[in-house]
Amino acid sequence: MHENTSAISREALLTEANKVIREHEDFIHGMLATEVEQNGNVLVFRGEFFMDQDGLPTRKTTAVFNMFKHLAHLFSEKYHLED
């Protein structure tokens, strides 16, 4: 299943992912990946989604969703979680 990707720890992957987030042109202060899980061949990133006081999405929510999708495409081709 993972013959073309390298094993990586969650901690190392989150460190690398958050570096990409901080350096990305669409970075928003507070944007951070705090969790990652393996779902088949796809790495799924999670973190703060910037909901408003009623729990509804804000404009920042779309930016975060797009960033996590970008990370999934970027890293799923390179890595799989070692555990």
Side-chain angles (χ1 to χ4, degrees):
M1 175 166 125
H2 303 294
E3 61 272 354
N4 297 323
T5 58
S6 302
I8 190 169
S9 71
R10 266 186 179 76
E11 296 77 21
L13 181 54
L14 286 171
T15 298
E16 198 169 328
N18 283 312
K19 183 177 186 297
V20 168
I21 290 171
R22 284 189 307 276
E23 294 173 356
H24 197 278
E25 64 183 17
D26 295 330
F27 171 75
I28 297 171
H29 180 74
M31 192 181 280
L32 182 71
T34 56
E35 298 174 44
V36 62
E37 70 179 41
Q38 187 85 43
N39 188 350
N41 291 331
V42 178
L43 293 164
V44 179
F45 292 86
R46 291 194 177 84
E48 174 64 52
F49 272 101
F50 300 103
M51 301 298 189
D52 69 12
Q53 63 272 17
D54 298 320
L56 298 173
T58 65
R59 286 196 328 255
K60 289 182 178 182
T61 303
T62 302
V64 173
F65 175 80
N66 289 336
M67 182 66 71
F68 290 165
K69 188 168 87 172
H70 170 67
L71 294 174
H73 285 286
L74 181 67
F75 290 117
S76 295
E77 296 176 358
K78 297 180 185 180
Y79 299 118
H80 62 272
L81 295 177
E82 23 180 58
D83 48 32

Coordinates of all heavy atoms in Angstrom, one line a residue:
M1 N 0.8 -1.2 0.0 CA 0.0 0.0 0.0 C 0.9 1.3 0.0 O 0.5 2.3 -0.6 CB -0.9 0.0 1.2 CG -1.8 1.2 1.4 SD -3.1 0.9 2.6 CE -2.8 2.2 3.7
H2 N 2.0 1.2 0.7 CA 2.8 2.4 0.8 C 4.2 2.3 0.2 O 5.2 2.9 0.6 CB 3.1 2.7 2.3 CG 1.8 2.9 3.1 ND1 1.0 4.0 2.9 CD2 1.3 2.2 4.1 CE1 -0.1 3.9 3.7 NE2 0.1 2.8 4.5
E3 N 4.3 1.5 -0.9 CA 5.6 1.2 -1.5 C 6.3 2.4 -2.1 O 7.5 2.4 -2.2 CB 5.5 0.0 -2.5 CG 4.6 0.3 -3.7 CD 3.1 0.0 -3.5 OE1 2.8 -0.6 -2.4 OE2 2.3 0.3 -4.3
N4 N 5.6 3.4 -2.4 CA 6.2 4.6 -3.1 C 6.4 5.8 -2.1 O 6.7 6.9 -2.6 CB 5.4 5.0 -4.3 CG 5.4 3.9 -5.4 OD1 6.4 3.3 -5.6 ND2 4.3 3.8 -6.0
T5 N 6.1 5.6 -0.9 CA 6.2 6.7 0.1 C 7.1 6.3 1.3 O 7.3 5.1 1.5 CB 4.8 7.1 0.6 OG1 4.2 5.9 1.3 CG2 3.9 7.6 -0.5
S6 N 7.6 7.3 1.9 CA 8.5 7.1 3.1 C 7.7 7.2 4.4 O 6.8 8.0 4.5 CB 9.6 8.2 3.1 OG 10.3 8.2 2.0
A7 N 8.1 6.4 5.4 CA 7.5 6.4 6.7 C 7.9 7.7 7.4 O 9.1 8.1 7.3 CB 7.9 5.2 7.5
I8 N 7.0 8.3 8.2 CA 7.3 9.5 8.9 C 6.4 9.4 10.2 O 5.3 8.9 10.2 CB 7.0 10.7 8.1 CG1 7.6 12.0 8.8 CG2 5.6 10.9 7.8 CD1 7.6 13.2 8.0
S9 N 7.0 10.0 11.3 CA 6.2 10.0 12.5 C 5.2 11.2 12.4 O 5.4 12.1 11.7 CB 7.1 10.3 13.7 OG 7.6 11.6 13.7
R10 N 4.1 11.1 13.2 CA 3.1 12.2 13.2 C 3.8 13.5 13.6 O 3.5 14.5 13.0 CB 2.0 11.9 14.3 CG 0.9 11.2 13.8 CD -0.2 11.0 14.9 NE -1.4 10.4 14.3 CZ -1.4 9.1 14.0 NH1 -0.4 8.3 14.3 NH2 -2.5 8.6 13.4
E11 N 4.6 13.5 14.6 CA 5.3 14.7 15.1 C 6.1 15.3 14.0 O 6.1 16.6 13.8 CB 6.1 14.4 16.3 CG 5.3 13.9 17.5 CD 4.9 12.4 17.4 OE1 5.5 11.7 16.7 OE2 4.0 12.1 18.1
A12 N 6.9 14.5 13.3 CA 7.8 15.1 12.3 C 6.9 15.6 11.1 O 7.3 16.7 10.5 CB 8.7 14.0 11.8
L13 N 5.9 14.9 10.8 CA 5.0 15.4 9.7 C 4.3 16.7 10.0 O 4.2 17.6 9.2 CB 4.0 14.3 9.3 CG 3.1 14.6 8.2 CD1 3.8 15.1 6.9 CD2 2.1 13.5 7.9
L14 N 3.8 16.8 11.3 CA 3.1 18.0 11.7 C 4.1 19.2 11.7 O 3.8 20.3 11.3 CB 2.5 17.8 13.1 CG 1.2 17.0 13.0 CD1 0.7 16.7 14.4 CD2 0.1 17.7 12.2
T15 N 5.4 18.9 12.1 CA 6.4 20.0 12.1 C 6.6 20.5 10.7 O 6.6 21.7 10.4 CB 7.7 19.5 12.7 OG1 7.5 19.1 14.1 CG2 8.8 20.5 12.6
E16 N 6.8 19.5 9.7 CA 7.0 19.9 8.3 C 5.8 20.6 7.7 O 5.9 21.6 7.0 CB 7.3 18.6 7.5 CG 8.0 18.9 6.2 CD 8.5 17.7 5.5 OE1 9.0 16.8 6.2 OE2 8.5 17.7 4.3
A17 N 4.6 20.1 8.1 CA 3.3 20.7 7.5 C 3.2 22.1 8.0 O 2.8 23.0 7.3 CB 2.1 19.8 7.9
N18 N 3.4 22.3 9.3 CA 3.3 23.7 9.9 C 4.3 24.7 9.3 O 4.0 25.9 9.2 CB 3.3 23.6 11.4 CG 1.9 23.1 11.9 OD1 0.9 23.6 11.5 ND2 1.9 22.2 12.8
K19 N 5.5 24.2 8.9 CA 6.5 25.0 8.3 C 5.9 25.4 6.9 O 6.0 26.6 6.5 CB 7.8 24.2 8.1 CG 8.9 25.0 7.5 CD 10.2 24.2 7.4 CE 11.4 25.0 7.0 NZ 11.3 25.5 5.6
V20 N 5.3 24.5 6.2 CA 4.7 24.8 4.9 C 3.6 25.9 5.0 O 3.5 26.8 4.3 CB 4.2 23.5 4.2 CG1 3.3 23.9 3.0 CG2 5.3 22.6 3.7
I21 N 2.8 25.7 6.1 CA 1.7 26.6 6.3 C 2.2 28.0 6.6 O 1.8 29.0 6.0 CB 0.8 26.1 7.5 CG1 0.0 24.9 7.2 CG2 -0.1 27.3 8.0 CD1 -0.7 24.2 8.4
R22 N 3.2 28.1 7.5 CA 3.7 29.4 7.8 C 4.4 30.2 6.6 O 4.3 31.4 6.5 CB 4.8 29.3 8.9 CG 4.2 29.1 10.3 CD 5.3 29.2 11.4 NE 6.4 28.4 11.2 CZ 6.5 27.1 11.5 NH1 5.5 26.5 12.1 NH2 7.6 26.4 11.3
E23 N 4.9 29.4 5.7 CA 5.6 30.0 4.5 C 4.7 30.2 3.3 O 5.1 30.8 2.3 CB 6.8 29.1 4.1 CG 7.9 29.1 5.2 CD 9.0 28.1 4.9 OE1 8.9 27.3 3.9 OE2 10.0 28.1 5.7
H24 N 3.5 29.7 3.4 CA 2.5 29.8 2.3 C 2.0 31.2 2.2 O 1.7 31.8 3.2 CB 1.4 28.7 2.5 CG 0.6 28.5 1.3 ND1 -0.4 29.3 0.8 CD2 0.7 27.5 0.4 CE1 -0.9 28.8 -0.3 NE2 -0.2 27.7 -0.6
E25 N 1.7 31.6 0.9 CA 1.2 33.0 0.7 C -0.2 33.2 1.3 O -0.6 34.3 1.5 CB 1.2 33.3 -0.8 CG 0.3 32.4 -1.6 CD 0.4 32.8 -3.1 OE1 1.4 33.4 -3.5 OE2 -0.5 32.3 -3.8
D26 N -1.0 32.1 1.5 CA -2.3 32.2 2.1 C -2.4 32.0 3.6 O -3.4 31.8 4.1 CB -3.3 31.2 1.4 CG -3.5 31.5 -0.1 OD1 -3.4 32.7 -0.5 OD2 -3.7 30.6 -0.9
F27 N -1.2 32.1 4.2 CA -1.1 31.9 5.7 C -2.0 32.9 6.4 O -1.9 34.1 6.0 CB 0.3 32.0 6.1 CG 0.5 32.0 7.6 CD1 0.3 30.9 8.4 CD2 0.8 33.2 8.3 CE1 0.5 30.9 9.8 CE2 0.9 33.3 9.7 CZ 0.8 32.1 10.4
I28 N -2.7 32.5 7.4 CA -3.5 33.4 8.3 C -3.0 33.2 9.7 O -2.8 32.0 10.1 CB -5.0 33.1 8.2 CG1 -5.5 33.3 6.8 CG2 -5.7 33.9 9.2 CD1 -7.0 32.9 6.6
H29 N -2.7 34.2 10.4 CA -2.2 34.1 11.8 C -3.2 33.1 12.6 O -4.4 33.3 12.5 CB -2.2 35.4 12.5 CG -1.7 35.3 13.9 ND1 -0.4 35.1 14.2 CD2 -2.4 35.4 15.1 CE1 -0.3 35.0 15.5 NE2 -1.4 35.2 16.1
G30 N -2.6 32.2 13.2 CA -3.4 31.2 14.0 C -3.6 29.9 13.3 O -4.1 28.9 13.8
M31 N -3.3 29.9 11.9 CA -3.5 28.6 11.1 C -2.4 27.6 11.5 O -1.3 27.9 11.5 CB -3.4 29.0 9.7 CG -3.8 28.0 8.7 SD -3.6 28.5 7.0 CE -5.0 29.5 6.7
L32 N -2.9 26.4 12.0 CA -2.0 25.4 12.5 C -2.6 24.0 12.3 O -3.8 23.8 12.6 CB -1.8 25.7 14.0 CG -0.8 24.8 14.7 CD1 0.6 25.1 14.3 CD2 -1.0 25.1 16.2
A33 N -1.8 23.1 11.8 CA -2.2 21.7 11.8 C -1.8 21.1 13.1 O -0.7 21.1 13.6 CB -1.5 21.0 10.7
T34 N -2.8 20.5 13.8 CA -2.6 20.0 15.2 C -2.7 18.5 15.2 O -2.3 17.8 16.1 CB -3.6 20.6 16.2 OG1 -4.9 20.3 15.7 CG2 -3.3 22.1 16.4
E35 N -3.3 17.9 14.1 CA -3.5 16.4 14.0 C -3.4 16.0 12.6 O -3.6 16.7 11.7 CB -4.9 16.0 14.5 CG -5.3 16.4 15.9 CD -6.8 16.1 16.2 OE1 -7.3 15.0 15.7 OE2 -7.5 16.9 16.8
V36 N -2.9 14.8 12.4 CA -2.9 14.1 11.1 C -3.2 12.7 11.3 O -2.8 12.0 12.3 CB -1.5 14.3 10.4 CG1 -0.4 13.7 11.2 CG2 -1.5 13.8 9.0
E37 N -4.0 12.1 10.4 CA -4.2 10.7 10.4 C -4.1 10.1 9.0 O -4.3 10.9 8.0 CB -5.6 10.4 11.0 CG -6.8 10.8 10.1 CD -8.1 10.5 10.8 OE1 -8.3 10.7 12.0 OE2 -9.0 10.1 10.0
Q38 N -3.9 8.9 8.9 CA -3.8 8.2 7.6 C -5.2 7.6 7.3 O -5.8 6.9 8.1 CB -2.8 7.0 7.8 CG -2.5 6.3 6.5 CD -1.4 7.0 5.7 OE1 -0.4 7.4 6.3 NE2 -1.6 7.1 4.4
N39 N -5.7 7.9 6.1 CA -7.0 7.4 5.7 C -6.7 6.8 4.3 O -6.7 7.5 3.3 CB -8.0 8.5 5.6 CG -9.4 8.0 5.3 OD1 -9.6 6.9 5.0 ND2 -10.4 8.9 5.4
G40 N -6.4 5.5 4.3 CA -6.0 4.8 3.1 C -4.6 5.4 2.7 O -3.7 5.4 3.5
N41 N -4.5 5.9 1.4 CA -3.3 6.5 1.0 C -3.2 8.0 1.2 O -2.3 8.6 0.8 CB -3.1 6.2 -0.5 CG -2.8 4.7 -0.8 OD1 -2.2 4.0 0.1 ND2 -3.2 4.3 -1.9
V42 N -4.2 8.5 1.8 CA -4.3 10.0 2.0 C -4.0 10.4 3.5 O -4.6 9.8 4.4 CB -5.7 10.5 1.6 CG1 -5.8 12.0 1.8 CG2 -6.0 10.2 0.2
L43 N -3.2 11.4 3.6 CA -3.0 12.0 5.0 C -4.0 13.1 5.2 O -4.1 14.0 4.3 CB -1.6 12.5 5.0 CG -0.5 11.4 5.0 CD1 0.9 12.1 4.6 CD2 -0.4 10.7 6.2
V44 N -4.7 13.0 6.3 CA -5.8 14.0 6.5 C -5.3 14.9 7.7 O -5.0 14.4 8.8 CB -7.1 13.3 6.9 CG1 -8.2 14.3 7.2 CG2 -7.5 12.4 5.8
F45 N -5.3 16.2 7.5 CA -4.8 17.2 8.5 C -6.0 17.8 9.1 O -7.0 18.1 8.5 CB -3.9 18.2 7.8 CG -2.6 17.6 7.3 CD1 -2.5 17.0 6.1 CD2 -1.5 17.6 8.1 CE1 -1.3 16.5 5.6 CE2 -0.3 17.1 7.7 CZ -0.2 16.5 6.5
R46 N -5.8 18.2 10.4 CA -6.9 18.9 11.1 C -6.3 19.9 12.0 O -5.1 19.9 12.4 CB -7.7 17.9 12.0 CG -8.5 16.9 11.3 CD -9.5 16.2 12.2 NE -10.3 15.3 11.4 CZ -10.0 14.1 11.1 NH1 -8.8 13.5 11.4 NH2 -10.8 13.3 10.4
G47 N -7.1 20.9 12.4 CA -6.7 22.0 13.3 C -7.9 22.9 13.5 O -9.0 22.6 13.2
E48 N -7.5 24.1 14.0 CA -8.5 25.2 14.2 C -9.2 25.6 12.9 O -8.5 25.8 11.9 CB -7.8 26.4 14.9 CG -8.7 27.6 15.1 CD -9.9 27.4 16.0 OE1 -9.6 26.9 17.1 OE2 -11.0 27.7 15.6
F49 N -10.5 25.8 12.9 CA -11.2 26.2 11.7 C -11.9 27.5 11.8 O -12.6 27.9 10.9 CB -12.3 25.1 11.3 CG -11.8 24.0 10.5 CD1 -11.5 22.8 11.0 CD2 -11.6 24.2 9.1 CE1 -11.0 21.8 10.2 CE2 -11.1 23.2 8.3 CZ -10.8 22.0 8.8
F50 N -11.6 28.3 12.8 CA -12.0 29.7 12.9 C -13.5 29.9 12.7 O -14.0 30.7 11.9 CB -11.3 30.6 11.9 CG -9.8 30.6 12.0 CD1 -9.0 29.9 11.2 CD2 -9.2 31.4 13.0 CE1 -7.6 29.9 11.3 CE2 -7.8 31.4 13.2 CZ -7.0 30.6 12.3
M51 N -14.3 29.2 13.5 CA -15.8 29.4 13.5 C -16.2 30.6 14.3 O -15.4 31.1 15.1 CB -16.5 28.2 14.2 CG -16.2 26.8 13.5 SD -16.7 26.8 11.8 CE -16.5 25.1 11.4
D52 N -17.3 31.2 13.9 CA -17.8 32.4 14.6 C -18.4 32.0 16.0 O -18.5 30.8 16.3 CB -18.7 33.3 13.8 CG -20.1 32.6 13.5 OD1 -20.4 31.6 14.1 OD2 -20.8 33.2 12.6
Q53 N -19.0 33.0 16.7 CA -19.5 32.7 18.0 C -20.7 31.8 18.0 O -21.1 31.2 19.0 CB -19.9 34.0 18.8 CG -20.9 34.8 18.1 CD -20.4 35.8 17.1 OE1 -19.3 35.7 16.6 NE2 -21.2 36.8 16.7
D54 N -21.4 31.6 16.8 CA -22.5 30.7 16.7 C -22.1 29.4 16.1 O -23.0 28.5 15.8 CB -23.6 31.4 15.7 CG -24.1 32.7 16.3 OD1 -24.4 32.7 17.5 OD2 -24.3 33.6 15.5
G55 N -20.8 29.2 16.0 CA -20.3 27.9 15.4 C -20.4 27.8 13.9 O -20.3 26.7 13.4
L56 N -20.6 28.9 13.3 CA -20.7 28.9 11.8 C -19.3 29.2 11.2 O -18.5 29.9 11.7 CB -21.7 29.9 11.3 CG -23.1 29.6 11.8 CD1 -24.1 30.8 11.5 CD2 -23.7 28.3 11.3
P57 N -19.1 28.7 10.0 CA -17.8 29.0 9.3 C -17.6 30.5 9.0 O -18.6 31.2 8.7 CB -17.9 28.2 8.0 CG -19.0 27.2 8.2 CD -19.9 27.8 9.2
T58 N -16.4 30.9 9.0 CA -16.1 32.3 8.6 C -15.3 32.2 7.3 O -15.0 31.1 6.8 CB -15.2 33.0 9.7 OG1 -14.0 32.3 9.8 CG2 -15.9 33.0 11.0
R59 N -14.9 33.4 6.8 CA -14.0 33.4 5.6 C -12.7 32.6 5.8 O -12.2 32.0 4.9 CB -13.7 34.8 5.1 CG -14.9 35.5 4.5 CD -14.5 36.7 3.7 NE -13.4 37.5 4.2 CZ -13.5 38.6 4.9 NH1 -14.6 39.2 5.1 NH2 -12.4 39.2 5.3
K60 N -12.2 32.8 7.0 CA -11.0 32.1 7.4 C -11.1 30.5 7.3 O -10.2 29.8 7.0 CB -10.5 32.4 8.8 CG -10.0 33.9 8.9 CD -9.5 34.1 10.3 CE -8.9 35.5 10.5 NZ -8.4 35.7 11.9
T61 N -12.3 30.1 7.5 CA -12.6 28.6 7.5 C -12.3 28.0 6.1 O -11.6 27.0 6.0 CB -14.1 28.3 7.9 OG1 -14.3 28.9 9.1 CG2 -14.3 26.8 7.9
T62 N -12.7 28.7 5.1 CA -12.4 28.3 3.7 C -10.9 28.2 3.5 O -10.4 27.3 2.9 CB -13.1 29.2 2.7 OG1 -14.5 29.2 3.0 CG2 -12.8 28.7 1.3
A63 N -10.2 29.2 3.9 CA -8.7 29.3 3.8 C -8.0 28.1 4.5 O -7.1 27.5 3.9 CB -8.2 30.6 4.3
V64 N -8.5 27.8 5.7 CA -7.9 26.7 6.4 C -8.2 25.4 5.7 O -7.3 24.5 5.6 CB -8.4 26.7 7.9 CG1 -8.0 25.4 8.6 CG2 -7.9 27.9 8.6
F65 N -9.5 25.2 5.3 CA -9.8 24.0 4.6 C -9.0 23.8 3.4 O -8.5 22.7 3.1 CB -11.3 24.0 4.2 CG -11.7 22.8 3.4 CD1 -12.0 21.6 4.0 CD2 -11.8 22.9 2.0 CE1 -12.4 20.5 3.2 CE2 -12.2 21.8 1.2 CZ -12.5 20.6 1.8
N66 N -8.8 24.8 2.6 CA -8.0 24.8 1.4 C -6.5 24.5 1.7 O -5.8 23.7 1.0 CB -8.1 26.0 0.6 CG -9.4 26.2 -0.1 OD1 -10.1 25.2 -0.3 ND2 -9.8 27.4 -0.4
M67 N -6.0 25.0 2.8 CA -4.6 24.7 3.2 C -4.5 23.3 3.6 O -3.5 22.6 3.2 CB -4.2 25.6 4.4 CG -2.8 25.4 4.8 SD -1.6 25.9 3.6 CE -1.8 27.7 3.7
F68 N -5.4 22.7 4.4 CA -5.3 21.3 4.8 C -5.4 20.4 3.5 O -4.8 19.4 3.5 CB -6.4 21.0 5.8 CG -6.1 21.6 7.2 CD1 -7.1 21.6 8.1 CD2 -4.9 22.1 7.5 CE1 -6.9 22.2 9.4 CE2 -4.6 22.7 8.7 CZ -5.7 22.8 9.7
K69 N -6.2 20.8 2.6 CA -6.3 20.0 1.3 C -5.0 20.1 0.6 O -4.5 19.1 0.0 CB -7.5 20.6 0.5 CG -7.8 19.8 -0.7 CD -9.1 20.2 -1.4 CE -8.9 21.3 -2.3 NZ -10.0 21.7 -3.1
H70 N -4.4 21.2 0.5 CA -3.1 21.4 -0.1 C -2.1 20.5 0.6 O -1.3 19.8 -0.1 CB -2.6 22.9 0.0 CG -1.2 23.1 -0.4 ND1 -0.8 23.0 -1.7 CD2 -0.2 23.5 0.3 CE1 0.5 23.3 -1.7 NE2 0.9 23.6 -0.5
L71 N -2.1 20.5 1.9 CA -1.1 19.6 2.6 C -1.4 18.1 2.3 O -0.4 17.4 2.2 CB -1.3 19.8 4.2 CG -0.9 21.2 4.7 CD1 -1.2 21.3 6.2 CD2 0.6 21.5 4.4
A72 N -2.6 17.7 2.2 CA -2.9 16.3 1.9 C -2.4 16.0 0.5 O -1.7 14.9 0.4 CB -4.5 16.1 1.9
H73 N -2.5 16.8 -0.5 CA -2.0 16.5 -1.8 C -0.5 16.5 -1.8 O 0.2 15.6 -2.3 CB -2.4 17.6 -2.8 CG -3.9 17.4 -3.2 ND1 -4.3 16.4 -4.1 CD2 -5.0 18.1 -2.9 CE1 -5.6 16.5 -4.2 NE2 -6.0 17.5 -3.5
L74 N 0.1 17.5 -1.1 CA 1.6 17.6 -1.0 C 2.3 16.4 -0.4 O 3.2 15.9 -0.9 CB 1.9 18.9 -0.3 CG 3.4 19.3 -0.2 CD1 4.0 19.6 -1.5 CD2 3.6 20.5 0.8
F75 N 1.7 16.1 0.8 CA 2.4 15.1 1.6 C 2.0 13.6 1.4 O 2.8 12.7 1.6 CB 2.3 15.4 3.1 CG 3.1 16.6 3.5 CD1 2.5 17.8 4.0 CD2 4.5 16.7 3.4 CE1 3.2 18.9 4.3 CE2 5.2 17.8 3.7 CZ 4.6 18.9 4.2
S76 N 0.8 13.4 0.9 CA 0.3 12.0 0.7 C 1.1 11.4 -0.4 O 1.3 10.1 -0.5 CB -1.2 12.0 0.3 OG -1.9 12.4 1.4
E77 N 1.7 12.2 -1.3 CA 2.5 11.6 -2.4 C 3.9 11.2 -1.9 O 4.6 10.4 -2.5 CB 2.7 12.6 -3.5 CG 1.5 13.0 -4.2 CD 1.7 14.1 -5.3 OE1 2.8 14.6 -5.4 OE2 0.7 14.4 -6.0
K78 N 4.3 11.8 -0.8 CA 5.7 11.6 -0.2 C 5.7 10.6 1.0 O 6.7 9.9 1.1 CB 6.3 12.9 0.3 CG 6.5 13.9 -0.8 CD 7.1 15.2 -0.1 CE 7.2 16.3 -1.0 NZ 7.7 17.5 -0.4
Y79 N 4.7 10.6 1.8 CA 4.8 10.0 3.1 C 3.6 9.1 3.5 O 2.5 9.3 2.9 CB 4.9 11.0 4.2 CG 6.1 12.0 4.2 CD1 5.9 13.3 4.0 CD2 7.4 11.5 4.3 CE1 7.0 14.2 4.0 CE2 8.5 12.3 4.2 CZ 8.3 13.7 4.1 OH 9.3 14.5 4.0
H80 N 3.9 8.2 4.4 CA 2.8 7.5 5.1 C 3.2 7.5 6.6 O 4.4 7.6 6.9 CB 2.5 6.1 4.6 CG 3.7 5.2 4.7 ND1 4.7 5.1 3.8 CD2 4.1 4.3 5.7 CE1 5.6 4.2 4.2 NE2 5.3 3.8 5.3
L81 N 2.2 7.5 7.5 CA 2.5 7.5 8.9 C 3.2 6.1 9.3 O 2.7 5.1 8.9 CB 1.3 7.7 9.8 CG 0.7 9.1 9.6 CD1 -0.6 9.3 10.4 CD2 1.7 10.2 10.0
E82 N 4.2 6.2 10.2 CA 4.9 5.0 10.6 C 4.1 4.1 11.5 O 4.3 2.9 11.5 CB 6.2 5.2 11.2 CG 6.5 6.5 11.8 CD 7.9 6.7 12.4 OE1 8.9 6.5 11.7 OE2 7.9 7.0 13.6
D83 N 3.1 4.6 12.2 CA 2.3 3.7 13.1 C 1.1 3.1 12.5 O 0.5 3.3 11.6 CB 1.9 4.4 14.4 CG 1.3 5.8 14.2 OD1 0.6 6.0 13.2 OD2 1.6 6.6 15.0

